Amino acid sequence: MADGKVVMAPPPSGEGDHPQGGGGGLPQSPSSGFAPTTASRSPSPGGGGILFFDADAARAQFPILSRQVNGKPLVYLDSAASAQKPRAVIDALTAAMEGSYANVHRGLHTLANETTEAFEAARETVARYLNAPSADQIVWTRGGTEAINLVAAGIGQSIQPGDEILVSQMEHHSNIVPWHMLRERRGAVLKWIPVKDDGSLDMQACADLLGPKTKVVAVTHMSNVLGTLNPVAEISRLAHAAGARVLIDGCQGAVHASPDVQALGCDWYVLTGHKLFGPTGIGALYGTAEALESLPPYQGGGEMIESVSQDRVTYAKPPQRFEAGTPPILEAIGLGAALDWYSTFDPAAVQAHEAALLERVRERLSGLNWLTEIGTAPGKGAIFTFTVDGAHAHDIAQVLDRYGVAVRAGLHCAEPLAARFGLTSSTRASFALYNTIEDADAFADALIKAREFFV
């Protein structure tokens, strides 16, 4: 990729591509379609030919990216924390609120029917995006954190003292703390898959840690700090051979790794909307039919029951069993619109574009003896986490902000990983499809200037 831009093309119909989902009858933004191809080409990461993607056309669909920060063009490199929202999502939310809002499932009037149709169409969209066999295997949650807690709470009712839960050292706190709660409350034993120096998982150690007492293996699809893409299909195979169930935290992987839950073979897969260019306050839990049926209700209230009397209650089947009360209706519709929009891109082309941006940053910053990249596993996602000698991560982030560059600094909700690498903090630049080669260069230029500030 010579100039950092690649041309967007419609996704091919072959196996593994995200299908384009329905929008539940809500109007689609004109900006969600294809733009003229005006840019250059990017080689496929696997060497399978040339892929096309137009980063400028994608970027133009995000209103916020046209603003300035501190008198500089905004360079938003914090998408691993929360991605920006395209016009298609903004318009879908506006249309739902302005033209067809009501509560879902329980009404018989027109607005209730229209909103219910859009709400359930969004569930279908998530199922298609993940290649789930049925929309009944998609549970709406408030985000990835609640989805993991839902599973942990359900499993916890059958956990016995000494039962083992296997997690990795690179997990986000959302995939650590719920299991610690089972350690505290049920006597579960947490075992940790080590992370190698390059940021990859020690798969031999993973295999060795599995045993007859292992009940759950909970690992991330893609590290939010290292960018490491884990071999989750292989982890699922090993765990199932040991009789354990598998939960995959896909909050990053769902964005950057084209998840296919049937191919991955996991029992549960978690995603969150705000990293997928959708609203906050919405996420989804995929589970196999058997895995969901095995879980008891997470919360009680309306919608999750079959019947209630003074002396008994019967519960609905999944997914309704886990969706007590009025759900996040608008947020679900917004997530459906985000996935409809995102699915118009060829995922391999997007991934090639993001990989090229990461390589551009590495090229620009190579040879700097004051900079250390954290996480260099082969094939990693477009996350560049680093430390700067003689400067705290928070100070680096604040100076970068003066140049309009938005990055994340701190422990990134991954304290065991920080401890593994002996870090008290680090700075993270995370890339998305709307970033350009100009963004990568602006980041590199600003970082070099920031370093000079502390010398």
Side-chain angles (χ1 to χ4, degrees), residues 38-268:
T38 59
S40 65
R41 303 175 179 179
S42 176
S44 165
I50 298 298
L51 298 171
F52 301 93
F53 176 78
D54 189 339
D56 288 332
R59 183 185 184 88
Q61 298 180 49
F62 291 80
I64 196 172
L65 297 180
S66 64
R67 69 164 291 182
Q68 292 193 339
V69 171
N70 293 322
K72 305 288 185 180
L74 172 62
V75 177
Y76 187 78
L77 301 180
D78 197 20
S79 297
S82 201
Q84 295 299 340
K85 319 307 172 192
R87 174 60 64 187
V89 172
I90 297 168
D91 288 352
L93 287 167
T94 300
M97 288 184 283
E98 288 185 344
S100 194
Y101 175 76
N103 213 324
V104 294
H105 297 148
R106 293 181 282 274
L108 296 176
H109 56 83
T110 298
L111 295 184
N113 290 336
E114 290 176 351
T115 306
T116 298
E117 179 184 354
F119 178 76
E120 291 301 333
R123 194 192 304 269
E124 294 274 0
T125 297
V126 174
R128 284 192 296 272
Y129 186 78
L130 295 176
N131 194 30
S134 169
D136 289 340
Q137 294 170 258
I138 303 299
V139 178
W140 292 124
T141 65
R142 291 180 299 166
T145 298
E146 184 177 53
I148 297 171
N149 275 272
L150 188 160
V151 174
I155 291 174
Q157 296 192 32
S158 61
I159 287 288
Q160 300 298 315
D163 286 347
E164 296 174 355
I165 299 169
L166 189 56
V167 297
S168 83
Q169 289 180 319
M170 68 174 69
E171 299 308 310
H172 188 281
H173 293 166
S174 294
N175 201 25
I176 295 176
V177 178
W179 310 114
H180 262 307
M181 291 178 174
L182 296 189
R183 178 189 60 78
E184 292 176 336
R185 300 171 185 178
R186 304 290 298 186
V189 175
L190 266 61
K191 291 197 168 182
W192 298 82
I193 307 171
V195 172
K196 296 181 178 180
D197 290 344
D198 69 351
S200 61
L201 275 186
D202 187 333
M203 289 300 293
Q204 183 58 56
C206 176
D208 293 342
L209 287 168
L210 288 164
K213 291 186 177 181
T214 308
K215 300 302 178 184
V216 183
V217 178
V219 295
T220 185
H221 195 170
M222 174 178 163
S223 169
N224 73 305
V225 179
L226 306 168
T228 303
L229 285 161
N230 287 321
V232 289
E234 176 64 8
I235 291 171
S236 294
R237 186 190 67 78
L238 292 171
H240 288 155
R245 284 182 164 158
V246 179
L247 179 143
I248 303 300
D249 174 2
C251 290
Q252 300 292 336
V255 189
H256 303 287
S258 304
D260 179 337
V261 292
Q262 294 187 68
L264 296 180
C266 54
D267 297 279
W268 296 283

Side-chain angles (χ1 to χ4, degrees), residues 174 239 268 274 366 421 423:
S174 294
W268 296 283
H274 69 100
S366 64
F421 284 96
L423 303 174

Side-chain angles (χ1 to χ4, degrees), residues 53 286 310:
F53 176 78
Y286 157 81
Q310 290 188 122

